């Protein structure tokens, strides 16, 4: 584990560099990420390249033994390029062309832009690909940030048509799969197909929601593929000259609710994953369970340790700021990342900027360049990690529970969300949160992944699966796995069309139920009772008729009182639960305990409000992180004697954790 800083050598006088690097050394900051927005310095005019400034910066960083993640600068195409080649610009859903002035104003499919990136990226990779100060690469910056994955320009339209032709072969096939017979949408050729923009009725159905769902879903897939392809090309350019590992900084689901990029696919192009973690800032305050979920997603995309490439270091925002991190929180957030599988945490940013849009984005040190309390806190973390590294290698939680994350499902639900308050990510978080509260780590998996390492797999609202994915899930259960299927699962084909089978469609046999009726809840609550205690649903109620399944919960109000809402079915050596409704937080927690313990997972662990508890291992050594997200101290009872690894003290019976405090319980000596 180690820490780093996001740094902009080009924002400061060269005479200041030494002071900064010495301060970094003193704080045990071992790595900096640089160069992601520097195109106009590298190539101020078309074909005129300058690298001296970067040469000097790297040379100086090397003297202080600070390692570098170097970026490809494609997030900000310079003004001369935009003026000369306006066709590189993105177009939005209403046909507005995104102009120069901020960032991410380019189209991933622009052949001109790809060529310009190709030229500069290769030059950068060639020059620094073996540089001793460099240790890794970042592609672009926050791909898909601010709704930029989906572009509506002419070049995208041409590419989309090719993509469709490749997928469907004939236009008749596409017409059939999309059901274009509805509303006179039958196409005569692929050339007639437009990217689905805001439809004629967009004031009734916001943006594109009036468009054909099959066409929309394919367009979302195409857009994601375009970003993945852009990344693949960039990686190819880097790998032609460099063996250093490549990443790109992904976005959280908590604040950004998805970028429209299939991160599983994107991760296949990368050597390691990383993401940007802002917890309390202008755009909101993230719940600790949601941050933990985001960390879990990041370790899951490659099932490996990941980096936090940007972590909040001070009060931040653009026009206005969120709160200053209370003393202790920078450390708490850092260890929470480590507990969940991060091996490097890089703080954004080293020093608060004196100019530009982000003047209010406070760094480790302030505008005045003097080390203050945030610097001291981070230096303390650096010191602790130096000691901890004598004991621990790369830590990962050992997850016995997995939640299926399907980008097809996410996008399908975003096109038609079934009922006003349904949001796929939030719905998945409801399951995640329950296990999080019990200190049970959860991974995210694709429906096609090997599942044998998990005792319990949850498939929330898995609306569509391909045959091989269904077979994978079925054989996991037949071999003894436990699977929870829930509302809105298995009812569509991959073209976003409804299946003619009774609900739950392709899962009916495994679940041993049928669902002849359902009630989408717009503004009422339905009461429920079962192995999860007494509770309420306020989103959706499937009225379940068991075929071979046993009833574990029933509705107790409304016209379906007495009907089943939760069932379990024996299937092969395993079990399939069908949960027909959403559950309030307490009922969900009880369901987690019930299903977890039946899958053989000890569920009687701590349940201290606001305490994050993660058990990890580096393969040899054990670490149990106790992270207090409360503003008050907590006393955590202990069943065994442990060594608290940061202080080196033996703890027994109980341990007190200060507000925003951290403890790492180990078994060995220190
Ligand atoms: C993002 C970007 C950074 C910076 C910070 C703060 O996550 O990657 O370049 O803009 O946010 O806004
Ligand atoms: Zn485009």
């Amino acid at each position: 584990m180690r820490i780093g800083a996001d740094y902009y050598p080009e924002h400061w006088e060269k005479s200041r560099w030494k002071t900064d690097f010495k301060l970094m050394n003193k704080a045990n900051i071992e790595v900096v990420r640089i160069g992601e927005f520097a195109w106009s310095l590298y190539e101020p005019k078309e074909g005129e390249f300058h690298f001296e400034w970067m040469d000097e910066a790297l040379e100086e960083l090397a003297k202080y033994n600070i390692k570098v993640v170097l970026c490809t600068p494609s997030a900000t195409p310079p003004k001369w390029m935009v003026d000369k080649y306006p066709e590189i610009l993105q177009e939005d859903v209403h046909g507005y062309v995104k102009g120069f002035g901020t960032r991410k104003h380019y189209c991933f499919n622009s052949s001109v832009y790809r060529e310009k990136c190709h030229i500069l990226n290769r030059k950068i990779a060639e020059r620094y690909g073996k540089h001793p100060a460099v240790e890794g690469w970042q592609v672009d910056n926050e791909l898909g940030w601010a709704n930029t994955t989906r572009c509506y320009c002419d070049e995208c339209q041409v590419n989309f048509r090719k993509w469709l032709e490749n997928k469907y072969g004939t236009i008749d096939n596409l017409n059939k799969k999309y059901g274009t017979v509805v509303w006179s949408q039958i196409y005569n050729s692929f050339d007639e197909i437009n990217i689905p923009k805001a439809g004629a009725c967009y004031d009734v159905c916001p943006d594109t929601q009036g468009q054909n769902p099959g066409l929309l879903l394919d367009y979302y897939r195409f857009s994601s593929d375009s970003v993945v392809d852009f990344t693949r090309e960039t990686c190819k350019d880097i790998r032609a000259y460099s063996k250093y590992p490549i990443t790109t900084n992904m976005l959280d689901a908590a604040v950004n609710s998805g970028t429209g990029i299939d991160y599983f696919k994107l991760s296949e192009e990368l050597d390691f994953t990383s993401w940007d973690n802002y917890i309390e800032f202008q755009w909101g305050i993230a719940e600790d369970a949601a941050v933990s979920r985001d960390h879990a997603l990041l370790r899951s995309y490659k099932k490996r340790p990941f980096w936090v490439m940007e972590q909040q270091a001070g009060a931040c925002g653009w026009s206005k700021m969120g709160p200053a991190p209370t003393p202790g929180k920078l450390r708490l957030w850092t260890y929470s990342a480590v507990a969940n599988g991060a091996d490097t945490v890089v703080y954004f940013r080293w020093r608060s900027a004196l100019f530009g849009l982000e003047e209010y984005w406070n760094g480790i040190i302030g505008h005045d360049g003097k080390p203050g309390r945030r610097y001291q806190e981070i230096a303390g973390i650096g010191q602790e990690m130096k000691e901890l590294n004598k004991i621990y290698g790369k830590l990962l939680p050992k997850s016995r529970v997995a939640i299926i994350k399907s980008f097809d499902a996410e996008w399908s639900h975003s096109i038609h969300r079934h009922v006003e308050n349904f949001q796929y990510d939030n719905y998945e978080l409801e399951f995640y949160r329950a296990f999080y509260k019990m200190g049970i780590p959860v991974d995210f998996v694709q429906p096609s992944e090997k599942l044998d390492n998990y005792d319990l797999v949850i498939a929330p609202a898995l609306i569509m699966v391909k045959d091989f994915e269904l077979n994978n899930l079925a054989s996991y259960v037949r071999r003894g796995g436990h699977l929870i299927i829930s509302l809105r699962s298995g009812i569509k084909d991959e073209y976003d069309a409804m299946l003619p089978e009774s609900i739950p469609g392709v899962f009916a046999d495994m679940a041993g139920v049928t669902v002849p009726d359902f009630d989408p809840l717009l503004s009422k609550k339905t009461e429920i009772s079962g192995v999860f205690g007494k509770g309420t649903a306020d989103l959706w109620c499937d009225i379940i008729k068991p075929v071979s399944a046993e009833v574990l919960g029933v509705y107790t109000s409304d016209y379906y009182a007495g009907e089943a809402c939760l069932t379990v079915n024996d299937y092969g050596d395993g079990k399939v639960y069908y949960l027909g409704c959403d559950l309030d937080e307490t009922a969900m927690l009880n369901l987690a305990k019930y299903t977890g313990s039946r899958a053989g997972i000890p569920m009687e662990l701590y349940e201290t409000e606001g305490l994050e508890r993660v058990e990890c291992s580096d393969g040899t050594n054990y670490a149990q992180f106790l992270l207090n997200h409360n503003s008050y101290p907590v006393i955590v009872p202990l069943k065994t004697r442990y060594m608290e690894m940061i202080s080196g003290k033996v703890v027994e019976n109980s341990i007190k954790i200060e507000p925003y405090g951290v403890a790492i319980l180990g078994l060995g000596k220190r």
Side-chain angles (χ1 to χ4, degrees), residues 87-91 106-110 149-157 195 219 222:
E87 66 270 34
I88 71 166
L89 292 171
Q90 271 233 350
E91 199 174 311
Y106 66 89
C107 164
F108 289 105
N109 283 311
S110 162
T149 297
R150 295 170 193 155
C151 174
Y152 297 79
C153 78
D154 291 347
E155 194 159 357
C156 282
Q157 178 139 305
I195 285 180
Y219 174 61
F222 158 79

Side-chain angles (χ1 to χ4, degrees), residues 20 70 98 158 170 184 308 315 385 447 520 535 639:
D20 283 334
L70 193 58
K98 296 186 178 172
V158 172
T170 66
S184 193
V308 177
M385 285 186 172
K639 286 196 178 138

Side-chain angles (χ1 to χ4, degrees), residues 8 37 103 141-142 249 276 278 310 318 348 358 361:
Y8 298 91
F37 301 123
R103 53 184 181 183
N141 189 72
E142 295 191 336
N249 50 344
D276 295 348
Y278 294 96
E310 297 180 18
W318 280 359
F348 189 91
E358 294 191 334
W361 211 281

Side-chain angles (χ1 to χ4, degrees), residues 104-122:
K104 310 295 295 182
H105 39 289
Y106 66 89
C107 164
F108 289 105
N109 283 311
S110 162
S111 43
V112 172
Y113 194 55
R114 292 252 189 143
E115 180 57 21
K116 291 288 166 206
C117 290
H118 178 63
I119 295 168
L120 180 56
N121 290 344
R122 281 179 80 99

Side-chain angles (χ1 to χ4, degrees), residues 217 221 261-264 297 301 403-414 424-425 428 444-448 458-466 469 473:
L217 183 55
R221 289 175 177 135
I261 303 168
D262 182 332
Y263 277 160
F264 280 112
L297 281 165
Y301 294 135
I403 294 177
I404 291 182
K405 164 96 186 170
S406 152
F407 285 91
D408 269 354
E410 179 169 319
W411 299 335
S412 170
H413 290 306
S414 77
Y424 178 73
D425 263 343
E428 289 214 322
F444 287 87
V445 291
Q446 305 186 73
S448 56
I458 306 164
L462 187 56
I463 194 157
M464 58 181 70
V465 276
K466 304 203 175 81
E469 295 169 332
L473 294 172

Side-chain angles (χ1 to χ4, degrees), residues 111-183:
S111 43
V112 172
Y113 194 55
R114 292 252 189 143
E115 180 57 21
K116 291 288 166 206
C117 290
H118 178 63
I119 295 168
L120 180 56
N121 290 344
R122 281 179 80 99
K123 282 190 189 292
I124 294 172
E126 185 175 13
R127 196 168 183 100
Y128 304 119
K130 296 188 176 67
H131 197 293
V134 177
E135 66 153 53
W137 296 93
Q138 177 185 299
V139 172
D140 200 281
N141 189 72
E142 295 191 336
L143 295 163
W145 172 81
N147 219 357
T148 51
T149 297
R150 295 170 193 155
C151 174
Y152 297 79
C153 78
D154 291 347
E155 194 159 357
C156 282
Q157 178 139 305
V158 172
N159 286 12
F160 183 45
R161 287 172 181 164
K162 280 192 214 135
W163 188 95
L164 289 173
E165 190 159 8
N166 198 26
K167 176 165 178 178
Y168 292 96
T170 66
I171 197 68
D172 288 349
N173 185 25
L174 177 143
N175 279 319
K176 203 158 147 243
K177 296 293 185 344
Y178 286 0
T180 52
V181 65
V182 174
W183 290 6

